């Protein structure tokens, strides 16, 4: 796993073979971040990485200049790996939390400029996640949600949906919470 760009560009981290998580491929990660440059500037924003897995996206967000990143991962070994990677970068910008994403969403009182969610593709609750994020008001106005999922899901009719991107077997649905017009 490598960091694509930013202050830690090119840094590599070896993922243990025993891990169940599949990091977003470098190809897909690079392409989705290229698309996102049209929507958001990562410098100085607050970001949330749900179902962090190996921490690939969290590390990329830290490297791209996010002011604060919260990384939520339930698996003990994956959480430890993320924590170890952050120690190697000697950064305190990212807060790796070990816990259930659904509990986190329900109890979170913070809003974010950017949210990335990459649940296991077989997760039965997968289709409900974008709705939960908007229901709990986790995105700031003009905030962006990137939702990674398998090809069997289509979110094009969901509220706040703006576009879909597919890179091989990796699908991304992008959502944007429009700022309400002031009167």
């Amino acid at each position: 796993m490598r960091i694509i760009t930013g202050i830690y560009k090119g840094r590599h981290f070896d993922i243990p073979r025993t891990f169940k998580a599949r990091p977003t491929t470098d190809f897909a990660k690079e392409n989705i971040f290229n698309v996102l440059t049209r929507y958001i500037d990562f410098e100085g924003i607050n970001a949330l990485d749900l179902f962090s897995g190996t921490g690939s996206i969290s590390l990329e967000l830290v490297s791209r200049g996010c002011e604060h990143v919260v990384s939520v991962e339930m698996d003990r070994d994956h959480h430890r790996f993320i924590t170890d990677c952050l120690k190697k970068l000697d950064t305190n910008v990212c807060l790796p939390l070990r816990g259930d994403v659904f509990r986190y969403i329900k109890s979170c009182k913070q809003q974010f400029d950017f949210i990335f969610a990459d649940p296991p593709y077989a997760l039965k609750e997968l289709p409900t996640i974008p709705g939960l994020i908007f229901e709990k008001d986790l995105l700031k106005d003009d905030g962006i949600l990137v939702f990674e999922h398998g090809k069997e899901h289509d979110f094009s009719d969901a509220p706040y949906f703006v576009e879909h991107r597919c890179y091989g077997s990796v699908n991304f649905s992008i959502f944007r919470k429009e700022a309400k017009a002031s009167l």
Side-chain angles (χ1 to χ4, degrees), residues 30-179:
E30 185 168 12
N31 279 290
I32 195 62
F33 273 97
N34 285 340
V35 169
L36 290 172
T37 60
R38 294 191 329 224
Y39 293 102
I40 195 163
D41 179 4
F42 292 99
E43 189 73 34
I45 69 166
N46 290 326
L48 174 63
D49 182 11
L50 298 171
F51 304 96
S52 299
T54 62
S56 174
I57 298 299
S58 292
L59 296 172
E60 192 69 37
L61 292 168
V62 168
S63 185
R64 289 172 183 258
C66 287
E67 184 175 311
H68 185 68
V69 178
V70 175
S71 174
V72 183
E73 172 57 42
M74 186 184 308
D75 184 275
R76 180 191 70 224
D77 294 332
H78 295 176
H79 175 264
R80 184 180 307 121
F81 179 77
I82 295 166
T83 301
D84 291 345
C85 289
L86 292 166
K87 284 180 186 171
K88 289 176 185 171
L89 295 179
D90 193 27
T91 181
N92 61 359
V93 171
C94 183
L95 173 64
L97 299 176
R98 182 171 170 242
D100 179 77
V101 165
F102 293 99
R103 279 189 176 154
Y104 180 83
I105 290 171
K106 288 177 183 170
S107 66
C108 183
K109 303 295 184 219
Q110 184 178 358
Q111 286 189 313
F112 299 90
D113 302 290
F114 178 77
I115 299 174
F116 189 94
D118 180 13
Y121 290 3
L123 186 71
K124 68 178 169 106
E125 300 92 350
L126 183 144
T128 68
I129 295 168
L132 282 173
I133 288 169
F134 287 108
E135 178 186 314
K136 295 299 181 180
D137 202 26
L138 297 185
L139 269 181
K140 292 179 181 178
D141 286 348
D142 288 326
I144 299 293
L145 164 64
V146 174
F147 191 64
E148 186 174 333
H149 56 87
K151 65 182 177 200
E152 62 279 355
H153 294 286
D154 178 7
F155 294 94
S156 59
D157 290 331
Y160 306 106
F161 175 85
V162 291
E163 84 175 274
H164 171 262
R165 294 292 176 128
C166 179
Y167 305 104
S169 63
V170 180
N171 288 264
F172 297 102
S173 289
I174 302 172
F175 301 82
R176 182 177 199 162
K177 182 181 176 189
E178 301 272 336

